[in-house]
Amino acid sequence: DIQMTQSPSSLSASVGDRVTITCRASQSISTYLNWYQQKPGKAPKLLIYAASSLQRGFPSRFSGSGSGTDFTLTISTLQPEDFATYYCQQSYSIFWTFGQGTKLEIK
Amino acid sequence: QVQLQESGPGLVKASQTLSLTCTVSGGSISSGDYYWTWIRQHPGKGLEYIGHIYYSGTTYYNPSLKSRVSISGDTSKNQFSLKLSSVTAADTAMYYCARAQRGGLDVWGQGTTVTVSS
């Protein structure tokens, strides 16, 4: 199995802050890395696919980067609606695996 | 646009089989290069991939669940289904169906809560 490790597990930040979440794969996954946003009581939403492509409907303050084993999700200027849990997921192997999640909370 | 909706019993007795169906509207499960996927989320926890059925009918399952899982498709009803046998309390979770490509799970159902009772 390809293990996905996110850091941090939780993060407190303020509106307007720049935030970075990292995701590390246990082996190279090229750019087969996706990010999801999940709000309480809701299904996750695809946010970034193929490491750096922004899904339609999300604002450009969200960006993703990385390849191989190390990836980052950056929110350039936090907005109130961005407080949520974020998951990375690899789609390199047939057995897709998720990171454990990063809960982004309001400071 | 494609929409997915899970349905099935919200309560299942331990040792029995959990059965859920995902109805797809706005698109066909037999067309396109998609994986029709089941994901679950234990209360307060992260996301766990259960398995998928490819548009061609090929299936793949999470190795940790493989002995108990079956995913099938019904093209006449445009549905795909999950069966998980010999359930225990550890199978209590929110179950989601989703459409996937190599570029991620881009359409999700709203999820359905399944509780396993003893």
Side-chain angles (χ1 to χ4, degrees):
Chain A
D1 306 356
I2 299 177
Q3 307 300 319
M4 307 301 294
T5 304
Q6 286 181 236
S7 62
S9 295
S10 63
L11 175 60
S12 293
S14 301
V15 172
D17 284 353
R18 179 183 180 89
V19 167
T20 298
I21 299 169
T22 64
C23 179
R24 175 163 288 175
S26 60
Q27 66 181 73
S28 178
I29 58 171
S30 184
T31 56
Y32 290 100
L33 189 284
N34 311 302
W35 291 96
Y36 300 85
Q37 178 192 69
Q38 186 178 32
K39 294 185 178 181
K42 299 294 188 181
K45 291 183 178 180
L46 179 63
L47 170 61
I48 298 279
Y49 62 95
S52 61
S53 295
L54 184 66
Q55 180 72 350
R56 276 189 302 252
F58 282 96
S60 59
R61 63 178 178 272
F62 292 94
S63 63
S65 64
S67 66
T69 60
D70 294 315
F71 302 86
T72 60
L73 171 68
T74 300
I75 309 172
S76 60
T77 307
L78 267 178
Q79 298 300 304
E81 59 269 29
D82 300 337
F83 292 94
T85 300
Y86 294 86
Y87 295 93
C88 63
Q89 175 245 337
Q90 63 82 17
S91 51
Y92 178 82
S93 73
I94 191 66
F95 174 30
W96 297 345
T97 46
F98 292 89
Q100 80 278 18
T102 296
K103 188 174 183 179
L104 179 54
E105 299 176 302
I106 300 173
K107 185 182 288 184
Chain B
Q1 75 210 41
V2 176
Q3 293 184 310
L4 282 66
Q5 178 68 58
E6 305 89 350
S7 60
L11 188 63
V12 181
K13 290 186 177 180
S15 79
Q16 295 190 344
T17 296
L18 177 162
S19 296
L20 296 175
T21 296
C22 183
T23 300
V24 179
S25 59
S28 171
I29 66 167
S30 58
S31 67
D33 194 10
Y34 296 114
Y35 303 83
W36 301 96
T37 306
W38 288 98
I39 305 290
R40 70 180 182 180
Q41 187 169 34
H42 293 102
K45 301 297 184 183
L47 300 166
E48 180 181 27
Y49 171 79
I50 298 173
H52 67 249
I53 183 165
Y54 197 39
Y55 78 104
S56 61
T58 303
T59 54
Y60 183 83
Y61 306 127
N62 183 329
S64 70
L65 298 171
K66 187 175 182 178
S67 63
R68 300 194 292 128
V69 172
S70 175
I71 296 175
S72 60
D74 185 338
T75 55
S76 67
K77 295 181 179 179
N78 214 30
Q79 297 173 332
F80 63 104
S81 298
L82 168 70
K83 292 188 185 299
L84 181 66
S85 64
S86 304
V87 296
T88 69
D91 296 309
T92 293
M94 177 73 79
Y95 286 77
Y96 295 102
C97 60
R99 186 184 79 171
Q101 311 174 64
R102 292 296 293 277
L105 297 104
D106 63 344
V107 182
W108 293 67
Q110 64 184 28
T112 189
T113 300
V114 177
T115 301
V116 177
S117 64
S118 54

